[in-house]
Amino acid sequence: MTTNILEMQGITKTFPGVKALSNVTLGVARGEVHAICGENGAGKSTLMKVLSGVYPHGTYEGDIVFENETVEFKDLTDSEAKGIVIIHQELALSPYLSIAENIFLNNEQKSRSGLIDWNKTNHEASKLLARVGLRENPTTKILDIGVGKQQLVEIAKALSKRVKLLILDEPTAALNDEDSDHLLNLILHLKEQGITSIIISHKLNEIKKVADSVTVIRDGKTIETIAKADVTEDRIIKDMVGRDLEHRYPDHTPHIGEELLRVEDWTAHHPQDTTRVMVDKVNLNVRAGEIVGIAGLMGAGRTEFAMSLFGHSYGSKISGSVFLRGKEIKTRSVAEAIDHGIAYATEDRKTYGLNLIEDIKRNISMASLKKLEKYGLVHDNEEYKVANEYRHSMNIKAPNVLVKTGKLSGGNQQKVVLSKWIYSDPQVLILDEPTRGIDVGAKYEIYSIINRLAAEGKGIIVISSELPELLGICDRVYALSEGRITGELPVAEATPEAMLKLMTMEKPR
Ligand SMILES: Nc1ncnc2c1ncn2[C@@H]1O[C@H](COP(=O)(O)OP(=O)(O)O)[C@@H](O)[C@H]1O
Ligand SMILES: [Mg+2]
C-alpha cells in the first residue's frame, strides 16, 4: 500500500528508431500538483499518453498502478472511466460546436425519452463554467472564444467526467500572462477540492507557483523527483541538461592566426531617415580561429552593422572599407559577400534565415546551389547526400532531410541555418543571436559547433543580447553603443561590470 494515487514503474516505450522512454518511474501523491519538466523531446508527452491509454496496454513495457490497482487501459475512454483525464498540448475541441456541446460530447445529457436534453446540457455546462471561472454563455461556439478560454472549457469538460487525476500537457504554452495566471490559480483551487494534477511545463516560475513536487525527465529517463522545498532553478536546469551551470559553455582553446577580416570606419544610415546614423565609424577585426563578440543593448546597431556589411542589406547610405586577409573587398550585394567568403546567419531565422515551407535539404543547399549544379541543373542526389551528411554531423533531429523546416524545433532550425552557411564554406561567419529562443541543451550544441568552426580556422563574429553567453564563448568582445564601438576587451578582462559600462556609454554631445 502507498499513499500515492499513481505509480508508474519501469515504463519503456519505443517508436520505430526512437526509444522515447526507457525504464521511467513516476510517483504522484494523492492531492498534489506534480510538475513534469524536461527539454523538448525528453519524453514528457509520451509518458502522459502511456498513462492515459492513448498508447494502449501492450504497446509499452512497465506497470501503471492507479489507486492501488494495476491498470491496463485500452484507450482514453478506459482511463477516463477511472478518473484520469488528459488535456493535450493541441486542444481537441470542435470549433463549430458550442461550449456546452463540447463539454458533453460523447457524454450527452439525455432526457428519459433518450433525446438530448438541451436545457439540462446548458444548465449543467453553466455550473461547470462557474467552477472554472469562465464567464461565457454555454451556447457560444468554440471558434468565438480565445485559447485561454478554450483551455478552461477543456477543464470544465474534465470536471464533467468526475476527474480524479487531471493531466495538463504544456497548458500555458499558448496563453498570455493573464490567462496563464488564471489557469494556475484554477489548478490550485481544484487541488483544494481534492483533485490531483500533473502539469507539464518548463516554465520555472510556474512550477514554483503551483507544484508540490517536480519530476525531471531527460532523454526518456527519470532523473529525479524534487520536493517543493528543494526546488531551485539551478537544480532543475542541471537535471534537464545534465550539466552544471558553470559548464554551460564547452571548453575552447583558441588557436588564433592571421587577421581575416578588418572593417574600417563602417558607417550606415537609417534606410528611411538618412540623417540618422545607425552605425558610426565602426572599426573592428577578426582573426583566423578567433571568436569575437559584439555586445550591445537593444538598438545599439549590432544587427544594422552586420546587415549593412553583409551585402548592404541594411540601408543604402553606407560607407567604409572592408579588408579580407589585408586586401580590400566590396560587399555590395549578398552574392558578392558570399563570394568573398562572408556568411551572415540572421537573428530572425523564421523570416530571413529559412524557407519554412521548403525541406531541410533545399534550405541547406540554398546558399551554394552553384556548387551542386551540373549542366545547369541542381544535382538532386548530390544535394540529398550533402544534406544528409549535415543532418548527421550537426545532429539535426529529423527522420530525414525531406522534412519541412517549419516543422522543426527552434534549435534544429538553427542547426539547418548553420549547416547552410557552413556548406557555403565561408572564411568569416557572422552569427546574429545564434541561440535565441532555443533549448538549453541545443544551445550547448550550437556553442560546440561554433568552437569547431573556429578550430578549423574560420573567423567568427557573434552578436548576442545575452552577455553571459558572449563572455562564455568568445575570445574577445567589442561593446557597441549608439552605433559606435565604445571598447574592446579580451574575454579574460571583460567582466560583466566593465562590459555594461561600455555598453551604456553615451556619445559626447
Ligand atoms: N508518434 C511518434 N512517432 C515517432 N516518434 C515519436 C512519436 N512521438 C514522440 N516521438 C519521439 O519520442 C521522443 C519524445 O517525444 P515527446 O514525448 O513528444 O517529448 P516531449 O513531450 O518531452 O517534448 C522524441 O524523440 C520524439 O521525436
Ligand atoms: Mg510534449
Side-chain angles (χ1 to χ4, degrees):
M1 286 295 263
T2 148
T3 54
N4 279 355
I5 188 169
L6 173 73
E7 288 285 354
M8 296 180 84
Q9 284 148 357
I11 305 290
T12 296
K13 169 81 189 161
T14 40
F15 296 109
V18 191
K19 196 165 196 178
L21 299 172
S22 73
N23 201 15
V24 168
T25 310
L26 176 70
V28 176
R30 185 180 292 277
E32 75 165 338
V33 177
H34 195 111
I36 296 185
C37 43
E39 291 197 76
N40 283 335
K44 307 176 298 287
S45 295
T46 304
L47 185 66
M48 293 302 107
K49 286 177 184 169
V50 164
L51 171 58
S52 57
V54 172
Y55 298 134
H57 180 74
T59 65
Y60 60 87
E61 289 161 47
D63 295 313
I64 305 175
V65 178
F66 185 65
E67 299 201 291
N68 295 314
E69 178 196 351
T70 300
V71 288
E72 301 181 345
F73 299 132
K74 293 192 301 288
D75 53 27
L76 271 174
T77 329
D78 219 10
S79 64
E80 281 178 1
K82 295 277 184 204
I84 299 176
V85 180
I86 182 166
I87 299 178
H88 290 282
Q89 235 163 323
E90 311 80 26
L91 298 183
L93 300 170
S94 303
Y96 294 101
L97 298 183
S98 71
I99 292 175
E101 284 170 305
N102 267 283
I103 291 177
F104 293 110
L105 198 64
N106 297 324
N107 177 25
E108 281 74 14
Q109 303 294 296
K110 293 186 180 145
S111 63
R112 230 168 285 160
S113 59
L115 296 173
I116 294 181
D117 182 340
W118 288 109
N119 281 335
K120 190 171 170 208
T121 301
N122 290 329
H123 180 69
E124 291 299 320
S126 296
K127 285 203 282 191
L128 291 166
L129 293 185
R131 272 182 82 189
V132 300
L134 177 56
R135 256 173 258 134
E136 279 292 338
N137 194 314
T139 57
T140 303
K141 288 199 175 28
I142 291 298
L143 58 89
D144 292 327
I145 61 175
V147 256
K149 290 181 174 177
Q150 291 181 17
Q151 191 75 259
L152 297 176
V153 173
E154 290 266 20
I155 296 177
K157 184 171 174 156
L159 293 177
S160 78
K161 294 171 185 163
R162 304 193 187 288
V163 59
K164 291 178 184 165
L165 173 64
L166 180 65
I167 304 166
L168 298 127
D169 194 349
E170 304 207 26
T172 62
L175 304 190
N176 60 32
D177 288 350
E178 198 185 331
D179 287 347
S180 296
D181 252 1
H182 181 88
L183 183 74
L184 297 172
N185 287 329
L186 175 61
I187 292 169
L188 291 174
H189 185 63
L190 295 175
K191 174 176 142 176
E192 286 168 17
Q193 300 169 18
I195 296 175
T196 310
S197 300
I198 295 178
I199 172 171
I200 297 182
S201 171
H202 33 217
K203 298 188 187 161
L204 299 167
N205 60 330
E206 290 183 356
I207 291 170
K208 283 207 169 135
K209 179 174 164 132
V210 298
D212 298 299
S213 46
V214 183
T215 295
V216 185
I217 296 182
R218 180 174 81 236
D219 290 337
K221 299 185 189 75
T222 309
I223 303 305
E224 62 169 341
T225 295
I226 316 169
K228 189 182 187 94
D230 300 324
V231 169
T232 62
E233 189 168 340
D234 278 11
R235 182 152 167 189
I236 291 184
I237 293 182
K238 185 181 165 197
D239 284 348
M240 276 169 61
V241 302
R243 229 173 294 113
D244 270 321
L245 284 180
E246 298 89 81
H247 299 107
R248 250 188 190 166
Y249 307 102
D251 289 335
H252 155 67
T253 320
H255 294 283
I256 295 174
E258 59 177 290
E259 180 184 271
L260 279 182
L261 182 84
R262 186 168 81 247
V263 178
E264 287 182 0
D265 293 334
W266 197 258
T267 300
H269 296 252
H270 193 278
Q272 274 85 46
D273 178 1
T274 50
T275 61
R276 281 172 66 195
V277 177
M278 307 304 287
V279 180
D280 194 358
K281 297 207 185 73
V282 163
N283 286 288
L284 59 75
N285 67 24
V286 56
R287 288 172 287 170
E290 192 180 28
I291 306 175
V292 168
I294 302 181
L297 303 174
M298 281 267 286
R302 296 165 302 169
T303 295
E304 290 79 357
F305 165 73
M307 289 182 68
S308 58
L309 182 66
F310 185 67
H312 291 202
S313 320
Y314 175 85
S316 50
K317 201 173 162 198
I318 295 169
S319 60
S321 334
V322 193
F323 300 85
L324 197 68
R325 298 184 189 276
K327 265 177 49 192
E328 182 158 12
I329 58 162
K330 295 282 176 222
T331 62
R332 286 162 303 200
S333 68
V334 168
E336 213 172 26
I338 295 176
D339 278 347
H340 283 300
I342 299 173
Y344 170 59
T346 132
E347 72 181 315
D348 188 356
R349 45 181 184 266
K350 290 219 162 115
T351 317
Y352 303 110
L354 286 174
N355 184 344
L356 296 173
I357 57 166
E358 272 286 7
D359 57 21
I360 296 176
K361 170 173 66 67
R362 183 46 58 91
N363 272 285
I364 291 178
S365 63
M366 208 148 56
S368 325
L369 288 174
K370 265 194 240 162
K371 269 202 252 190
L372 290 166
E373 264 173 28
K374 238 187 178 176
Y375 316 116
L377 293 171
V378 176
H379 194 314
D380 287 336
N381 285 341
E382 192 59 25
E383 187 186 30
Y384 187 87
K385 217 180 100 205
V386 166
N388 221 11
E389 280 164 15
Y390 278 101
R391 180 169 72 94
H392 289 294
S393 66
M394 304 285 274
N395 193 21
I396 298 168
K397 291 197 186 96
N400 59 59
V401 295
L402 303 178
V403 173
K404 306 256 182 285
T405 53
K407 293 240 183 291
L408 301 176
S409 68
N412 286 304
Q413 287 183 341
Q414 187 62 290
K415 290 180 197 168
V416 174
V417 173
L418 290 176
S419 302
K420 164 172 103 175
W421 291 117
I422 295 170
Y423 182 50
S424 80
D425 197 24
Q427 308 196 48
V428 177
L429 262 110
I430 307 170
L431 307 175
D432 200 346
E433 303 285 1
T435 68
R436 174 179 287 170
I438 72 184
D439 262 341
V440 218
K443 279 188 182 181
Y444 190 88
E445 288 185 77
I446 304 281
Y447 301 143
S448 304
I449 293 165
I450 294 174
N451 278 351
R452 212 161 71 210
L453 293 167
E456 288 168 10
K458 301 192 188 307
I460 318 276
I461 298 175
V462 182
I463 295 172
S464 172
S465 308
E466 284 180 45
L467 191 54
E469 171 173 274
L470 286 182
L471 303 184
I473 63 172
C474 294
D475 301 312
R476 190 157 60 92
V477 267
Y478 288 96
L480 198 66
S481 171
E482 300 186 328
R484 301 175 316 141
I485 298 281
T486 50
E488 172 200 344
L489 291 169
V491 76
E493 293 166 30
T495 59
E497 297 74 30
M499 287 306 297
L500 275 171
K501 205 166 154 198
L502 293 171
M503 286 155 65
T504 51
M505 198 180 278
E506 288 181 7
K507 231 180 253 191
R509 292 184 218 266

